[in-house]
Amino acid sequence: MQVFKFGGASVKDAEGVRNVAKALQKVGYKETLVVVSAMGKTTNKLELVVKAYFEEKSKQLERIQDIITCHEKILVDLFPNKQHSVYKTVTDLFDELIGFLNWNKSPDYSFVYDQVVGYGELVSTTIIAAYLKEINIDNNWLDIRLIIKTDNSYRDAKVNWEQTKQNVANHINKSSLQITQGFLGSDANNFTTTLGREGSDYTGAILAYCLNATSVTIWKDVPGVLNADPRFFKETQLLHQISYEEAIELAFYGASVIHPKTLQPLQRKEIPLYVKSFLSPLDKGTCVSKGKRLEPFVPCFIVKKNQILISLSSLDFSFIVEENISEIFALLHQYKLKVDVIQNSAISFSVCVNDTYRNIENLLQELRSKFKVTCSQNVSLYTIRHNTREAFEKISSGKEILLKQEKDNTVQLITNN
C-alpha cells in the first residue's frame, strides 16, 4: 500500500479539492491511503475559537460561523445540489463542535484545544471523500481516531504503537482507497488527541510504518524540498535527494517541509518519502531515502520567527554550574518551552525558546528570583546547514546578531529581525 498526504494549502478551496482528484487520477490510487489536513487556515481559525472560549465567549459563535461560511462556499462550488447528503454530514459535525463547547466543564486548555481543532480534519475529509465519490472515485472514509491510539498528553500526544498496529491490521482494507485525517488520534477514554502542530505528516508515517507501505508521498504547493523557505528567501533550489539523516537534521533545526517526528518510523523500515507538487504530480520532486546525503550539495537555510532569547547571569557573579543549569532546564520543562539553542559561559547562560503554550511570563518570574534576566522577544533564529562564507554573508548582512553558534559547518544566528 502507498500513503499520500495532502496538506491544508492543497485543499484550501474547491479548486484545491479538484486538484487532489486530478492528482489521484494521474498517478493512480489503487491500494492507497490518503491522509488530509484541515482546509487552508482552518486550524488557525479553530485555535481562535479556543481562545475565545477561554477569554472572550461573546466572540465564540462568530468565529465558528466564519469557519462554517468558508466551508459552505467550498460545498456550494463542489456540490451545486444542496440536497446532497454531505451538507447534513458537515452541519452535524459543526453542531457537534458547538455542543461540546456548550457542555464542556474542563478548564484544561490543552484538552479543550484537542477536542475543538480536530473538527478541521473531520470536515475536510468528509468533503473530499464525498467529492471523490461524486466523480466516481470509490473510497472509504476512515475515522483515524479509531486507529491511532495515544496517551492523554493533549496537544502533543504519544502514540501507543502496539495498539495502533493492531487497529491498522483490523480496520484498514488495503485493497481500496482510504480517506482519513491527519494530526489526530484518541486516548484510552476515546477523547480526541492531537500529535502536535503540523502532525499530519507524522500521521502518514505512523500508518506507513504499520502498513509496511511501499512509500509515503507528501503533496505540497512547492515542487519538492527546497534549500530554503520561499516565503522568507528569494532564491531557492530544489533538492532532488536527501538522506534520512540529513532530513532529520533539517527537521531538527526547524525546516517546515517535513515534520520532525515523521522521519524516524520511515527510516526504521527504510520506507522512502517523496515530496511532490500537487500541481505537477508527474514531476519527480524530492526523494528522502537511504542514499546520497544531499543532491545537489548546497547550503540549506532555515528560519524560525517569533522566538524568545533569554540570557541569565548569577546575581552575585558566581559561576553558572551544573546545579544552576539543571534547575533552569527543570523550569523550562515545567513550563513546556521548547529549547532551540543554548550557550553558556562561566557566569552566563543563554537559551532560545519557543513559547507554544504561552508560559513565558510565569517562567521569567521564577527565573528573576534567582538570576539576573534579560529577555528579547520576537527574535529570529537562522540556521545554515553546509555553511559557506557567501551563505553566511547572505543571512547576516544588515542584521544585529544577538548570538552566534557554529559546529560542523552548521551555523546558527539569533537576530533582532
Side-chain angles (χ1 to χ4, degrees):
M1 203 168 194
Q2 60 181 343
V3 176
F4 288 169
K5 180 261 176 175
F6 288 91
S10 63
V11 292
K12 65 182 179 180
D13 51 25
E15 191 56 34
V17 175
R18 293 189 183 97
N19 280 334
V20 168
K22 290 174 185 173
L24 291 175
Q25 289 168 330
K26 285 183 179 178
V27 301
Y29 49 85
K30 185 181 179 183
E31 298 177 342
T32 300
L33 187 149
V34 176
V35 174
V36 186
S37 300
M39 292 176 152
K41 300 296 183 182
T42 299
T43 301
N44 293 345
K45 291 181 178 182
L46 285 165
E47 288 176 336
L48 293 177
V49 171
V50 177
K51 190 171 187 290
Y53 176 81
F54 283 99
E55 299 176 10
E56 202 171 3
K57 282 191 183 291
S58 61
K59 290 190 175 180
Q60 183 180 292
L61 283 177
E62 176 189 331
R63 289 177 175 173
I64 293 172
Q65 187 55 52
D66 174 50
I67 298 168
I68 292 172
T69 300
C70 290
H71 287 83
E72 282 179 345
K73 288 179 181 175
I74 295 171
L75 282 170
V76 169
D77 196 333
L78 295 173
F79 307 94
N81 175 14
K82 291 190 177 181
Q83 302 306 311
H84 195 288
S85 62
V86 70
Y87 282 89
K88 183 179 186 307
T89 307
V90 169
T91 297
D92 288 347
L93 285 168
F94 282 120
D95 286 346
E96 195 177 285
L97 165 60
I98 294 167
F100 166 79
L101 293 169
N102 287 336
W103 62 253
N104 172 66
K105 304 299 182 197
S106 174
D108 184 337
Y109 191 98
S110 293
F111 169 78
V112 174
Y113 179 99
D114 278 10
Q115 308 321 301
V116 170
V117 299
Y119 282 93
E121 278 73 15
L122 294 171
V123 172
S124 69
T125 52
T126 295
I127 293 172
I128 289 162
Y131 177 72
L132 292 175
K133 284 187 177 180
E134 190 76 356
I135 61 170
N136 298 316
I137 298 179
D138 192 36
N139 67 89
N140 177 55
W141 184 89
L142 187 67
D143 189 337
I144 198 63
R145 297 173 298 177
L146 301 175
I147 306 296
I148 296 181
K149 302 302 290 187
T150 72
D151 65 6
N152 61 357
S153 302
Y154 299 109
R155 297 182 73 183
D156 192 21
K158 306 300 182 291
V159 176
N160 180 327
W161 284 94
E162 286 306 313
Q163 195 173 353
T164 298
K165 281 191 282 187
Q166 190 61 51
N167 291 341
V168 167
N170 292 341
H171 297 293
I172 293 183
N173 180 357
K174 294 184 180 182
S175 64
S176 62
L177 174 63
Q178 307 286 319
I179 308 295
T180 196
Q181 307 78 37
F183 187 42
L184 309 181
S186 69
D187 63 15
N189 293 314
N190 294 322
F191 286 114
T192 304
T193 57
T194 62
L195 304 174
R197 283 293 258 130
E198 308 300 330
S200 293
D201 292 358
Y202 186 38
T203 302
I206 293 167
L207 295 171
Y209 179 89
C210 295
L211 288 163
N212 292 313
T214 55
S215 66
V216 175
T217 303
I218 299 174
W219 298 95
K220 300 182 75 71
D221 55 356
V222 291
V225 179
L226 305 176
N227 73 324
D229 189 329
R231 293 175 298 174
F232 304 113
F233 299 90
K234 291 180 181 178
E235 298 175 4
T236 62
Q237 287 182 259
L238 175 64
L239 304 174
H240 303 294
Q241 163 70 39
I242 310 175
S243 68
Y244 291 117
E245 292 80 3
E246 181 69 31
I248 287 170
E249 290 282 357
L250 291 170
F252 172 79
Y253 287 113
S256 60
V257 74
I258 302 172
H259 190 275
K261 291 185 285 192
T262 299
L263 295 158
Q264 283 88 346
L266 300 180
Q267 183 185 26
R268 285 202 294 270
K269 290 193 175 179
E270 296 188 3
I271 299 170
L273 169 68
Y274 297 95
V275 181
K276 297 184 178 184
S277 168
F278 59 83
L279 299 174
S280 304
L282 298 180
D283 289 355
K284 290 185 177 180
T286 301
C287 177
V288 181
S289 64
K290 187 176 181 180
K292 290 183 180 177
R293 189 173 184 185
L294 194 65
E295 183 184 320
F297 193 81
V298 293
C300 296
F301 303 92
I302 302 157
V303 61
K304 287 185 175 181
K305 300 286 188 178
N306 303 315
Q307 304 293 293
I308 301 169
L309 178 62
I310 305 169
S311 297
L312 310 173
S313 56
S314 55
L315 294 171
D316 59 0
F317 289 97
S318 59
F319 291 159
I320 300 283
V321 294
E322 289 84 355
E323 182 180 345
N324 305 121
I325 295 172
S326 175
E327 185 177 15
I328 293 164
F329 270 95
L331 289 171
L332 290 166
H333 176 73
Q334 178 184 336
Y335 291 111
K336 298 183 179 180
L337 276 88
K338 183 180 182 299
V339 175
D340 288 311
V341 176
I342 59 171
Q343 190 173 86
N344 67 291
S345 66
I347 59 171
S348 69
F349 181 89
S350 296
V351 58
C352 184
V353 298
N354 190 351
D355 184 25
T356 303
Y357 295 90
R358 304 182 299 172
N359 288 328
I360 187 65
E361 291 306 323
N362 294 327
L363 172 71
L364 292 175
Q365 187 174 343
E366 290 216 38
L367 289 174
R368 284 177 178 135
S369 67
K370 299 169 184 178
F371 303 95
K372 182 180 177 181
V373 180
T374 302
C375 179
S376 301
Q377 301 206 32
N378 298 317
V379 300
S380 297
L381 169 61
Y382 289 90
T383 302
I384 311 171
R385 289 277 295 164
H386 314 299
N387 181 51
T388 63
R389 179 179 294 180
E390 182 183 359
F392 180 81
E393 290 175 355
K394 178 180 178 180
I395 295 301
S396 60
S397 178
K399 295 182 177 69
E400 179 189 358
I401 298 175
L402 304 177
L403 185 149
K404 176 186 174 184
Q405 200 167 88
E406 184 170 5
K407 182 183 178 183
D408 299 331
N409 289 325
T410 295
V411 174
Q412 293 192 282
L413 304 173
I414 298 172
T415 73
N416 263 332
N417 52 15

